[in-house]
Amino acid sequence: MVRERETPKQQQQVSYTVEQLVAVNPYNPDILPDLENYVNEQVSSQTYSLDANLCLLRLYQFEPERMSTQIVARILVKACLSSSLYLFRIMYQLVSRLGYVIPNASFSFFPPAFLQALMAMPAPDFSLCLFLIPERVQMEEQFKTLIVLSHYLETGRFRQFWDEAAKNRHIVEAVPGFEQAIQTYAIHVLSLTYQKIPRPVLAEAINIEGLSLDKFLEHQAANSGWILEKGHGRGQLIVLPRNEFNHPELKKSAADSVPLEHITRIFPILG
């Protein structure tokens, strides 16, 4: 009896990562379970992949009967935490509350920050995901809540955001790190907007008060360069680290990096 020669690795299966599956064949319905598992992995590991999540939402469009509203809700929360928040609109809301810049005031908003924020505007992940979700699904209560939360963040209405989030703990607590991520984002926005910030404004934005806020401020002063000016209670001011947004004079001029003669060379080309 002649025995067939077995070729090595004949039955070996190649293992692909989710990112590779999305890149090779994003419209293959067989990868849908892998993408759903990957969403849960993003939630537990506090990571994020917009491309994989958009791919899953597109597959749901082709096979709506396989759609998991729980997975879709988690995708929207992750998108909300990532970069769907428009800094330009938030800054506009903040300055509109002030009405105008008061000379020699204890805190100031610098108009040049508008242009910088517009240039640095993050990608609207939340909207990108929402466009791929059927309207009938968006009308479900949990999705309407997420849309409202996203709107509050986009318009800088942090107090309303925290109030609404408190009414829907079951939604926001489904994703670990949600509260911390929003607090980090709020601090980032404030650092672009203020040189000095009143304690009540900070407390409202990050939803921390009392002794917890005292400990938070002490930690930031020790680790992030914050300076706590003398004062007590609501009258206390916090000096935020200098950056090119709250101190526009730190912004490197384009003239320092691009010589004028280099610019004039393109004028003949432009006609």
Side-chain angles (χ1 to χ4, degrees), residues 16-89:
Y16 294 99
T17 65
V18 173
E19 288 84 357
Q20 290 173 328
L21 291 175
V22 171
V24 172
N25 195 355
Y27 294 99
N28 181 3
D30 293 338
I31 68 174
L32 195 147
D34 295 308
L35 293 172
E36 290 179 330
N37 291 334
Y38 192 47
V39 172
N40 293 326
E41 181 182 327
Q42 292 174 56
V43 170
S44 60
S45 62
Q46 298 188 33
T47 56
Y48 181 63
S49 174
L50 174 63
D51 290 339
N53 294 345
L54 290 177
C55 179
L56 176 56
L57 293 176
R58 282 193 294 268
L59 288 176
Y60 279 155
Q61 287 188 317
F62 291 111
E63 302 195 27
E65 71 281 357
R66 299 178 65 180
M67 176 181 292
S68 166
T69 56
Q70 181 184 30
I71 292 295
V72 173
R74 291 184 173 186
I75 288 176
L76 285 181
V77 174
K78 293 296 292 184
C80 187
L81 291 179
S82 178
S83 59
S84 64
L85 316 174
Y86 299 89
L87 298 182
F88 183 79
R89 293 175 61 184

Side-chain angles (χ1 to χ4, degrees), residues 48 50 53-54 57 72-86 89 122-133 138 140-154 161 171 178 182:
Y48 181 63
L50 174 63
N53 294 345
L54 290 177
L57 293 176
V72 173
R74 291 184 173 186
I75 288 176
L76 285 181
V77 174
K78 293 296 292 184
C80 187
L81 291 179
S82 178
S83 59
S84 64
L85 316 174
Y86 299 89
R89 293 175 61 184
D125 294 18
F126 188 88
S127 297
L128 287 175
C129 293
L130 198 62
F131 292 151
L132 294 174
I133 298 174
Q138 295 184 31
E140 294 184 16
E141 198 62 36
Q142 61 176 335
F143 295 105
K144 290 196 292 185
T145 298
L146 287 172
I147 293 171
V148 169
L149 290 173
S150 176
H151 173 70
Y152 285 152
L153 288 175
E154 288 180 1
F161 170 84
I171 296 178
F178 180 88
I182 297 302

Side-chain angles (χ1 to χ4, degrees), residues 215-230:
K215 293 180 180 179
F216 175 82
L217 291 175
E218 291 174 2
H219 179 269
Q220 293 297 110
N223 298 278
S224 301
W226 290 21
I227 300 175
L228 310 181
E229 289 194 345
K230 293 182 179 180

Side-chain angles (χ1 to χ4, degrees), residues 112 116 119 243-245 247-254 256:
Q116 298 297 335
M119 293 170 61
N243 58 68
E244 63 184 26
F245 298 100
H247 285 268
E249 68 274 11
L250 298 179
K251 175 67 177 179
K252 187 176 181 180
S253 173
D256 296 335

